[in-house]
Amino acid sequence: MPRKKQQKINEAKQINNIVDYTDKTGLGRLETFVAQNKPIVLELACGDGTYALSLAEIYPNKNFIGVDIQGERLWMGAKSAETKELNNVIFLRAHIDHLNQFFKDKSIDEIWITFPDPYSRKKQEKKRLTHKKFIKIYRQILKPKGVLHLKTDNDALFDYSVETLGVAGAKTAVCLQNIDKYLDKYPLLKIQTFFERTHRASGKNIHYLNCAFR
Ligand SMILES: C[S@@+](CC[C@H](N)C(=O)[O-])C[C@H]1O[C@@H](n2cnc3c(N)ncnc32)[C@H](O)[C@@H]1O
């Protein structure tokens, strides 16, 4: 592993607003954060946490948790949160596959999934964050009527997700193929992550849906 990357991972373990799933003290900090009696919003596959950070600025009365397994990307988000003096956002380095070990049933108000890897090959299907295995976990931790947001550039993943969420009983409230015409109506969609900017630069359309479980 490159020295700089390893250095960021090690540093991430020392930063107060990053909780590593291997660190028991950190998990105590996560519990305290969640227990603050504010709505909890997760950004999954958050990378550097652009959505968590931007939403945390817009909604100071909600608490945001960015989740990703890549420590060096979380490090960038955590540093930004420190610089902006945001105390309503923290980051969890963990596998999304085990989210239900960190959050109680029916405790989460909203989930954003931002530009998840498409895992296009059939044999990778179980890694897609909208595979039924993951949806089961989201459903378990979301409050009744809690909203799941998905933003992606990938046409096939978007269609796949519409189907898997529908089969799981989610009721879709908003489903937009190419969000650009709708940005004034849904201003939160104006927030652009690193991957969104990259995909836009290569001419891709961006899709969005939100849904809740019955
Ligand atoms: C394409 S990047 C998107 C990052 C960011 N949301 C953005 O738009 O810039 C996908 C991210 O998902 C994370 N990821 C994929 N599967 C994961 C899993 N099962 N658990 C935790 N993180 C995962 C990767 O580490 C990666 O940072």
Side-chain angles (χ1 to χ4, degrees):
M1 187 185 296
R3 204 167 61 84
K4 266 195 167 168
K5 190 171 174 180
Q6 184 62 56
Q7 194 182 329
K8 280 186 184 170
I9 291 173
N10 292 340
E11 236 189 274
K13 289 187 179 163
Q14 316 297 323
I15 298 178
N16 239 351
N17 60 6
I18 298 187
V19 171
D20 193 286
Y21 73 99
T22 58
D23 168 18
K24 284 210 173 83
T25 319
L27 292 173
R29 287 202 307 277
L30 178 68
E31 252 179 58
T32 309
F33 185 76
V34 169
Q36 279 176 11
N37 208 15
K38 288 181 175 183
I40 303 282
V41 183
L42 305 182
E43 183 190 1
L44 304 182
C46 72
D48 63 9
T50 302
Y51 255 87
L53 291 163
S54 304
L55 294 173
E57 285 188 278
I58 299 170
Y59 300 105
N61 295 327
K62 296 184 184 183
N63 276 345
F64 294 85
I65 305 173
V67 185
D68 204 293
I69 194 59
Q70 296 208 41
E72 79 283 5
R73 290 190 181 167
L74 294 180
W75 180 89
M76 291 193 264
K79 281 285 178 194
S80 252
E82 266 186 4
T83 308
K84 293 178 174 173
E85 299 186 354
L86 288 171
N87 59 13
N88 62 333
V89 56
I90 64 170
F91 294 90
L92 170 63
R93 191 178 89 80
H95 292 282
I96 294 162
D97 320 46
H98 302 144
L99 221 47
N100 50 349
Q101 294 178 7
F102 304 101
F103 303 105
K104 293 189 181 133
D105 290 4
K106 314 286 177 212
S107 63
I108 302 299
D109 293 81
E110 276 178 71
I111 293 177
W112 282 81
I113 308 177
T114 54
F115 298 88
D117 298 295
Y119 292 115
S120 303
R121 281 182 287 161
K122 183 71 187 160
K123 68 175 187 188
Q124 299 174 308
E125 185 187 349
K126 283 191 177 162
K127 291 184 172 184
R128 295 178 197 155
L129 293 185
T130 48
H131 182 271
K132 64 180 177 188
K133 155 185 120 171
F134 286 100
I135 294 175
K136 193 174 167 200
I137 296 173
Y138 308 149
R139 197 174 181 165
Q140 184 184 344
I141 61 173
L142 272 171
K143 289 182 180 169
K145 297 193 182 157
V147 178
L148 177 80
H149 307 258
L150 170 70
K151 216 176 169 194
T152 180
D153 63 292
N154 190 283
D155 301 348
L157 183 71
F158 191 67
D159 292 345
Y160 173 85
S161 306
V162 168
E163 192 178 325
T164 53
L165 288 162
V167 168
K171 192 168 182 242
T172 301
V174 179
C175 186
L176 309 175
Q177 302 255 9
N178 188 0
I179 61 175
D180 287 359
K181 290 187 291 256
Y182 306 98
L183 294 177
D184 287 337
K185 187 166 180 192
Y186 302 105
L188 294 183
L189 301 184
K190 290 181 185 168
I191 299 166
Q192 292 190 9
T193 70
F194 172 78
F195 273 82
E196 175 165 352
R197 288 196 300 278
T198 309
H199 294 310
R200 281 183 179 279
S202 64
K204 295 262 192 75
N205 289 329
I206 307 300
H207 313 310
Y208 167 80
L209 68 79
N210 79 42
C211 62
F213 293 97
R214 285 177 258 229

